[in-house]
Amino acid sequence: MFKTFVAAAGVAGLLASASYAADISGAGATFPAPVYAKWAETYKATTGTGLNYQAIGSGGGIKQIKAKTVDFGASDKPLKPEDLDASGLYQFPTVVGGVVPVVNIPGINAGQIKLTGPMLAAIFYGQVKTWDDPVIAKANPGVKLPSMPITVVHRSDGSGTSFLFTSYLSMKSPAWSSKVGASDSVNWPTGLGGKGNDGVSAFVKQTPGSIGYVEYAYAKQNKMAYVLVQNKNGKYPAPTAEDFAAAAAGAKWAQAPGNYLLLLDQPGANAWPITGATFILVYKNQENAASGQQVLKFFDWAYKNGDGAAAQLDYVPLPLPVKNLIRKQWTTNVTAGGKPVYTGK
Amino acid sequence: MNATTMDSETAPPRETAPGQSELSETIFRGLCFGAATLLMAALAGVVISLAIGGWPAFKQFGFGFFTSSAWNPVTEDYGAAGPIVGTVVTSVLALVIALPLAVGVSVFLVEFCPRNIAKPIAVAVELLAGIPSIVYGMWGLFVLAPWFALHVQLPLMTSTSLPGWFQAMIAGIPNGANIFTASLILAIMILPYMSAVFRELLLTIPSQVREAAYGLGSTNFEVVSKVMIPYVRRGAVGVVMLGLGRALGETMAVTFIIGNSHGFPHSLFDSGSTIASTIANEFAEATSDMHTSALIALGLVLFILTFAVLAIARLLLASEKH
Amino acid sequence: MDRTLRRKITNSIFVVLCAAATLVALAFLVMILWSLVAKGFGGIDANIFTMTQPAPGSPGGLLNGILGSILMCALGMLLAIVVGILAGTWLAEYGGKTAYGQVVRFLNDVLLSAPSILVGLFVYEILVKPFHGFSGYAGGVALGLLAVPIVTRTTEDMLTLQPNTLREAGMALGAGRGFVIRSIIWKAAGAGLFTGGLLGFARISGETAPLLFTSLGNQFVNLKMSQPMGSLPTTIFQFALSAYDDWQRLAWVGALLIAIAVLAVNIVGRLVARETHRP
């Protein structure tokens, strides 16, 4: 018995000397994890460099880059310029996605219900309690709304999706802004908490009369009944990749200090109002120039070659002008010993 | 009739046979002692790192941290009362459900089950322990919750012939995500641990003890309840501790199905939260230092809670002996 | 009703209740296993064991998670068994009745109920942060810390129940106490000690939260324990909660593999024990 143990330990020790360690490591946001995984897979096949990305949550990503245990961090929630300066970090966006309210109302299909921002806030606040409330009916003439109580479903875990959604509600409702606020985890006035987008989808599907909010990929994959939300132009766009891209196209990145920009309520006839980018965090002053170069090289490659993979997975790539702006930012913002670590060569 | 350990003072003087020496004795005893102390050091380390991490939150909220049911990451106001209540209620309820089941299963396997199928059934029950807790969580969310909502909650809620206090106890959204279903899942999770250990305990009882009792004309029930279970009483305490311990700290299985609302649960069928589920839900994304500190403080509270619950359990069981 | 009849009825009710309890336990097992097998079995193919985890839409398997889990669970169980059996032995045979022993026993139970995420955080503070890197070693240590209280508890309970006659016989033959423990008591309690180890393994084989802070995870195969390592539970966690069908299917396959592993260890262990124990 003991001998088998020793033998096993010996084999393990032998194996431990062989490895295929990744060359770059990153951790953080769960939202872009599938597309980063796809990019990393193709990148390794074409260049041989491995990128190990683990989705431990945006907060985890920020903590780990601050602790210098990873080469880059990833966050769905951009850090404010003050925080960036305090930690010596620089952030840049990679892809864009949308948050979609979904409902489960008997007799109602996808895209049949229209809601405005203030209405959404009132519903999630618990002020509007039934589906046949005159407030909702006014925006939906001709739609048969049952007199069912509304069950709100939100996220129980902290998430960038919640951050985007509550930021939008804060923008559209002063009551929400002062009483609840915007964060990846808030004190929801009413409703159930589901774990992950999956949990919210499950609760909405199982509870007639419920409303929740999920990332676009989940709404699409689970074929959920989404809600049309009024945008800045007064129109009701559908939550699709084109409409998320429309929101990103109109955004003014160049004027956003520290790249702190939420793509909420952006102008454009087709712009989806609840859109957001996901960000990468790296140190301005790189201790290891080579690893800094590897990180930026990977994302430059992704900007050039990753759009198809992103679209396939229901993400929206950044518009080309934004990518070029970011590339220019790299030369001045990510340096080692005063020199940029990556200049696109 | 518990076995007791020996006193070295009453052992007869001995010459050491080849292969043993005073030195090897001392070394072995030292290793054992060292292991026990290492255990203590590890626990102390965990508690200290929690205390350090949670200190900012305790300093900010003081004693109110334990009594406040607020949990607002935006205004940075945190209180542990909701998760504390959820943790205690779900763990105690899970134990209440699982303990009789575990005793029943192990007694059945040891006393009544035909010999040739007892072993496979025992292995099958132990298999429940090997299912990853996330599977319990997902099964609970996708299978148990809808079933419970449809077949238990709805009939109970629509029946008008129930007394008022009972109705208050079962009020809640009929979607199966509540304290009771979370306790049920926890009970299923801790059942295999408790029954496996309890069965091993029962198997150590010497057959003479059992045969003597049967020889006196006792029924199975009398032998089990008056002879076998008392024989393994000390171990039975351990079984309860094992179950309670697993229930208090279990995260994944509970998080999916408890509904995750931070305030006090108002009824058995209301959603709530536990300390473990709150930490698991929010730690990965918590960016502000105070939020992180509040979560770590919550972890420390769980340790304190565990201390208290286990101490009370010990006192209760010890006083029963006489 | 005369007393004998009453006792007989009580007995019958008791037997029925015990049988019912077993049926309930088995029913839950069947229901949960059914979900697991129905969702996971169809996905088992050669790729699972030969390819590393894929991005959504690409072919792949679970090799990185499987190897990582094997290595880290092995390290964790090694630590847990060594420390747990020795500590349990100390509690049962040497210092269990002293004040210090009471404290150790009580605190062991407290450690047992520690949420795994907090143990992971502790190991992060001592093994990850100071070294600026996640590692398989840290993951193994975290798992070991989670399994050790179970092994300690069960060891102490099993050893205590061994009759004193065994100890007396050994010592009367001139053997030292430690020798008696190692050669007689441990062997006599063998089945129980194995159960303790098995329960410890069952617990850590499915743990996710502590590994996220210690070994981080790795979508590539990595056998170097000083680097971040993948594991089945972390892969399952990420894939199960995703929106993609192929990832979800892999998650269920992974969960099924863990359950099968626990079952296999259980059965193989008992077979081995039976071989080495000549009646």
Side-chain angles (χ1 to χ4, degrees):
Chain A
M1 177 71 186
F2 186 64
K3 285 194 198 144
T4 6
F5 237 177
V6 172
V11 173
L14 261 170
L15 285 178
S17 52
S19 90
Y20 306 78
D23 304 343
I24 326 170
S25 66
T30 38
F31 165 65
V35 70
Y36 291 169
K38 191 82 184 188
W39 287 345
E41 201 180 64
T42 319
Y43 191 65
K44 184 163 173 96
T46 51
T47 68
T49 308
L51 178 103
N52 178 19
Y53 180 78
Q54 294 299 319
I56 58 174
S58 299
I62 295 172
K63 280 197 196 85
Q64 296 317 319
I65 187 67
K66 282 187 178 163
K68 299 194 181 162
T69 49
V70 288
D71 294 321
F72 69 88
S75 171
D76 290 332
K77 178 173 140 178
L79 290 182
K80 297 224 175 71
E82 312 86 76
D83 299 328
L84 287 173
D85 288 332
S87 334
L89 292 169
Y90 158 73
Q91 71 191 356
F92 61 91
T94 50
V95 285
V96 165
V99 178
V100 181
V102 289
V103 292
N104 176 354
I105 307 173
I108 301 287
N109 296 324
Q112 275 189 323
I113 290 217
K114 297 189 168 89
L115 294 173
T116 65
M119 272 184 225
L120 268 178
I123 292 175
F124 275 83
Y125 197 80
Q127 265 165 354
V128 171
K129 294 199 190 356
T130 57
W131 283 110
D132 60 353
D133 192 294
V135 168
I136 304 180
K138 204 168 72 168
N140 293 282
V143 179
K144 197 149 190 321
L145 293 163
S147 75
M148 288 183 86
I150 302 181
T151 304
V152 164
V153 182
H154 54 79
R155 291 285 289 270
S156 63
D157 47 332
S159 107
T161 314
S162 287
F163 169 70
L164 266 183
F165 191 66
T166 51
S167 299
Y168 180 69
L169 295 182
S170 289
M171 226 171 155
K172 289 293 171 181
S173 160
W176 184 275
S177 174
S178 58
K179 295 274 172 47
V180 185
S183 176
D184 40 17
S185 184
V186 299
N187 192 17
W188 297 91
T190 178
L192 287 169
K195 182 164 177 51
N197 284 291
D198 222 38
V200 171
S201 309
F203 279 150
V204 169
K205 276 202 178 147
Q206 289 166 13
T207 317
S210 59
I211 180 170
Y213 60 92
V214 291
E215 276 168 24
Y216 170 59
Y218 288 85
K220 184 168 165 211
Q221 298 277 345
N222 293 339
K223 300 195 183 23
M224 305 190 74
Y226 53 79
V227 164
L228 300 180
V229 183
Q230 191 181 51
N231 66 13
K232 198 173 180 127
N233 290 29
K235 301 265 190 292
Y236 288 92
T240 61
E242 295 82 46
D243 294 352
F244 303 148
K252 309 226 177 318
W253 289 97
Q255 279 88 42
N259 287 333
Y260 184 89
L261 188 64
L262 304 174
L263 304 174
L264 299 172
D265 218 29
Q266 292 291 324
N270 288 334
W272 177 258
I274 320 175
T275 316
T278 184
F279 297 83
I280 299 292
L281 295 160
V282 289
Y283 276 95
K284 285 199 183 118
N285 196 357
Q286 289 283 320
E287 278 170 8
N288 181 345
S291 80
Q293 188 192 57
Q294 290 287 351
V295 173
L296 293 182
K297 201 159 155 213
F298 172 78
F299 284 106
D300 190 28
W301 176 93
Y303 279 164
K304 285 199 193 90
N305 305 300
D307 285 1
Q312 217 179 23
L313 294 172
D314 302 321
Y315 293 86
V316 176
L318 292 171
L320 187 58
V322 181
K323 288 182 188 168
N324 288 332
L325 173 70
I326 302 297
R327 286 186 173 112
K328 234 188 299 193
Q329 285 181 352
W330 288 344
T331 55
T332 50
N333 277 294
V334 188
T335 58
K339 293 209 297 250
V341 297
Y342 182 70
T343 50
K345 306 276 173 284
Chain B
M1 206 177 120
N2 283 337
T4 53
T5 54
M6 297 191 60
D7 258 332
S8 50
E9 280 73 32
T10 56
R14 56 180 189 268
E15 6 164 299
T16 49
Q20 314 103 49
S21 62
E22 288 299 323
L23 184 62
S24 77
E25 285 301 306
T26 321
I27 291 179
F28 182 70
R29 185 184 177 134
L31 278 177
C32 289
F33 181 75
T37 307
L38 191 64
L39 204 56
M40 294 273 289
L43 182 72
V46 177
V47 173
I48 290 175
S49 73
L50 288 182
I52 294 178
W55 175 243
F58 285 123
K59 203 162 78 156
Q60 170 100 339
F61 302 107
F63 195 70
F65 189 69
F66 295 89
T67 52
S68 157
S69 63
W71 192 269
N72 194 333
V74 177
T75 59
E76 307 268 31
D77 181 20
Y78 301 104
I84 291 178
V85 168
T87 306
V88 172
V89 170
T90 48
S91 303
V92 170
L93 202 50
L95 196 61
V96 162
I97 298 175
L99 187 58
L101 281 178
V103 171
V105 170
S106 42
V107 166
F108 178 78
L109 288 175
V110 169
E111 283 297 298
F112 306 126
C113 190
R115 287 295 99 203
N116 49 351
I117 60 172
K119 240 338 169 16
I121 296 186
V123 169
V125 174
E126 281 163 21
L127 186 57
L128 271 176
I131 297 178
S133 45
I134 193 176
V135 173
Y136 278 100
M138 290 168 71
W139 182 82
L141 177 64
F142 292 114
V143 178
L144 182 65
W147 179 91
F148 192 80
L150 205 54
H151 292 100
V152 178
Q153 271 185 294
L154 276 179
L156 280 178
M157 285 170 75
T158 50
S159 132
T160 47
S161 55
L162 296 168
W165 60 266
F166 191 71
Q167 287 204 336
M169 210 169 69
I170 61 167
I173 302 173
N175 72 339
N178 51 54
I179 300 258
F180 186 76
T181 44
S183 307
L184 201 52
I185 292 280
L186 267 185
I188 305 173
M189 280 199 75
I190 66 179
L191 171 63
Y193 290 89
M194 294 169 69
S195 75
V197 176
F198 205 71
R199 179 174 158 268
E200 291 292 344
L201 289 176
L202 290 177
L203 284 175
T204 61
I205 300 176
S207 44
Q208 304 98 295
V209 172
R210 291 170 58 235
E211 285 159 15
Y214 280 116
L216 288 174
S218 313
T219 64
N220 305 94
F221 175 61
E222 285 154 3
V223 174
V224 170
S225 60
K226 293 188 168 50
V227 176
M228 291 174 73
I229 293 187
Y231 189 89
V232 297
R233 164 170 247 117
R234 252 187 83 182
V237 171
V239 168
V240 170
M241 297 304 165
L242 198 63
L244 203 50
R246 286 293 279 124
L248 284 169
E250 181 50 48
T251 314
M252 281 302 160
V254 174
T255 302
F256 283 91
I257 201 177
I258 198 170
N260 294 296
S261 53
H262 288 301
F264 282 123
H266 299 291
S267 79
L268 264 185
F269 290 1
D270 195 9
S271 55
S273 63
T274 64
I275 293 177
S277 75
T278 306
I279 298 175
N281 272 325
E282 298 181 19
F283 196 82
E285 295 279 342
T287 35
S288 84
D289 286 335
M290 186 50 73
H291 193 180
T292 311
S293 176
L295 288 170
I296 298 181
L298 212 52
L300 191 60
V301 169
L302 180 61
F303 264 97
I304 300 173
L305 197 63
T306 312
F307 250 85
V309 168
L310 290 181
I312 293 175
R314 259 180 203 282
L315 282 171
L316 285 176
L317 286 157
S319 64
E320 259 182 39
K321 254 190 203 159
H322 319 285
Chain C
M1 183 189 309
D2 93 297
R3 223 165 142 249
T4 317
L5 187 60
R6 188 159 39 130
R7 286 169 61 212
K8 277 204 182 128
I9 293 181
T10 317
N11 196 49
S12 310
I13 298 178
F14 182 65
V15 177
V16 167
L17 283 178
C18 287
T22 313
L23 278 175
V24 166
L26 287 178
F28 277 120
L29 176 71
V30 169
M31 282 193 282
I32 298 178
L33 266 189
W34 179 253
S35 300
L36 198 54
V37 171
K39 292 192 159 84
F41 192 72
I44 296 188
D45 56 21
N47 277 351
I48 299 288
F49 299 99
T50 55
M51 295 180 74
T52 186
Q53 78 187 58
S58 316
L62 294 170
L63 183 63
N64 57 323
I66 292 174
L67 290 178
S69 274
I70 291 178
L71 284 175
M72 287 193 287
C73 278
L75 176 60
M77 284 318 295
L78 185 63
L79 290 172
I81 289 175
V82 169
V83 175
I85 291 191
L86 286 178
T89 305
W90 184 81
L91 280 173
E93 305 285 333
Y94 291 112
K97 290 198 179 246
T98 64
Y100 184 62
Q102 309 270 30
V103 172
V104 170
R105 186 178 299 118
F106 184 68
L107 292 182
N108 182 61
D109 289 338
V110 174
L111 188 62
L112 201 144
S113 62
S116 48
I117 195 172
L118 296 177
V119 172
L121 281 176
F122 167 65
V123 179
Y124 170 78
E125 294 288 337
I126 59 170
L127 283 183
V128 175
K129 219 161 156 183
F131 298 97
H132 289 296
F134 297 95
S135 63
Y137 289 124
V141 168
L143 292 181
L145 270 178
L146 287 171
V148 91
I150 298 183
V151 178
T152 309
R153 230 307 156 198
T154 338
T155 303
E156 190 204 344
D157 287 340
M158 296 304 160
L159 292 184
T160 318
L161 278 170
Q162 299 306 317
N164 240 11
T165 46
L166 286 176
R167 297 183 181 85
E168 287 163 7
M171 309 226 0
L173 287 173
R177 209 150 142 201
F179 191 76
V180 168
I181 296 172
R182 291 195 301 279
S183 56
I184 301 177
I185 305 292
W186 277 1
K187 287 213 179 101
L193 298 185
F194 175 75
T195 303
L198 179 71
L199 290 177
F201 174 67
R203 178 172 187 197
I204 66 176
S205 60
E207 282 290 344
T208 317
L211 291 176
L212 290 174
F213 296 105
T214 49
S215 63
L216 184 67
N218 196 329
Q219 71 242 37
F220 303 110
V221 173
N222 170 39
L223 299 174
K224 251 207 195 114
M225 291 201 72
S226 55
Q227 294 291 320
M229 289 188 97
S231 59
L232 271 182
T234 51
T235 309
I236 294 173
F237 184 63
Q238 186 188 5
F239 282 14
L241 300 178
S242 73
Y244 307 102
D245 281 338
D246 52 352
W247 267 14
Q248 284 176 359
R249 206 172 320 123
L250 277 177
W252 285 104
V253 171
L256 185 59
L257 285 179
I258 294 181
I260 292 178
V262 172
L263 181 64
V265 166
N266 195 349
I267 295 181
V268 169
R270 288 188 193 280
L271 283 175
V272 166
R274 213 178 330 152
E275 284 304 304
T276 52
H277 272 215
R278 300 264 150 258

